[in-house]
Amino acid sequence: HAAVAFLLPALLAPAPLFIRNALVLGDAVGAGAQVRTLPNLLDPKALSSSYFVTEFPVVLFESFWGRFGWMSFRAPAWLYLIALATTVIALAGLLISRREAAASRTRFLFGAAIAIQIAQVAIYNLTFTQAQGRFLFPVIGPVALAGCAGIAEVARRFGWREISFPAALLVTAVLAILNLSLLALVVAPAYQPAAALP
């Protein structure tokens, strides 16, 4: 029941688009049309290619957290270090967490959804070289919830039982300031007209 409740909306929501693509393009996901119309972007490779060990995970990770201008410029290195530390802590918390039945089922569903989405991105990259983090946005909910669960478990192991409301507001404010800072200091300057640059 839990799996059906979790997966059925994800299948039903895009169903009209899949049906439309199948009727109009003869291809439910439109991949064939993309291959025909964008031959200049084709970059076939095998799953055993070194690309999936070197470039793919790095670019996918960076792009998920913040890579801008059609992947043309990166965020500051410290942002990726914070993101990497957060990811490692969250994964460590999930690994050491207690095996509660309900929590384990939920985490299994989240993990399966994330793994399936990453597999889809990898399959797409067998034909095109586009390890874009936006392809993981369909599972950003499971990523966020699983990440919070992992971080909460690490905090619990250090004796921090729960987060207070003021602390939650502080974290939210810091994240908002971080987002606005990236827009103001990284994104906006990159889109200034050439004449406005010193």
Side-chain angles (χ1 to χ4, degrees), residues 38-55:
L38 298 170
N40 56 312
L41 295 182
L42 294 178
D43 184 22
K45 61 187 77 68
L47 194 57
S48 58
S49 169
S50 61
Y51 164 80
F52 289 103
V53 178
T54 56
E55 183 179 346

Side-chain angles (χ1 to χ4, degrees), residues 52-164:
F52 289 103
V53 178
T54 56
E55 183 179 346
F56 178 78
V58 173
V59 175
L60 187 67
F61 180 84
E62 288 186 354
S63 176
F64 179 78
W65 289 96
R67 202 158 175 175
F68 311 100
W70 289 97
M71 308 285 286
S72 60
F73 55 96
R74 303 168 71 241
W78 56 263
L79 173 72
Y80 300 121
L81 290 175
I82 292 173
L84 181 61
T86 302
T87 303
V88 169
I89 292 170
L91 289 174
L94 291 173
L95 289 174
I96 64 175
S97 62
R98 293 177 177 172
R99 296 183 175 277
E100 299 171 2
S104 295
R105 285 197 299 269
T106 302
R107 290 174 190 172
F108 175 78
L109 287 173
F110 286 174
I114 295 166
I116 289 170
Q117 189 66 22
I118 292 174
Q120 290 178 350
V121 180
I123 291 169
Y124 182 73
N125 275 258
L126 292 173
T127 306
F128 300 95
T129 299
Q130 293 186 20
Q132 298 184 21
R134 65 188 176 90
F135 294 146
L136 297 180
F137 287 178
V139 291
I140 201 166
V143 168
L145 291 172
C148 287
I151 292 170
E153 181 63 25
V154 171
R156 189 184 70 81
R157 296 295 177 111
F158 282 95
W160 194 0
R161 296 288 177 181
E162 60 183 34
I163 186 170
S164 65

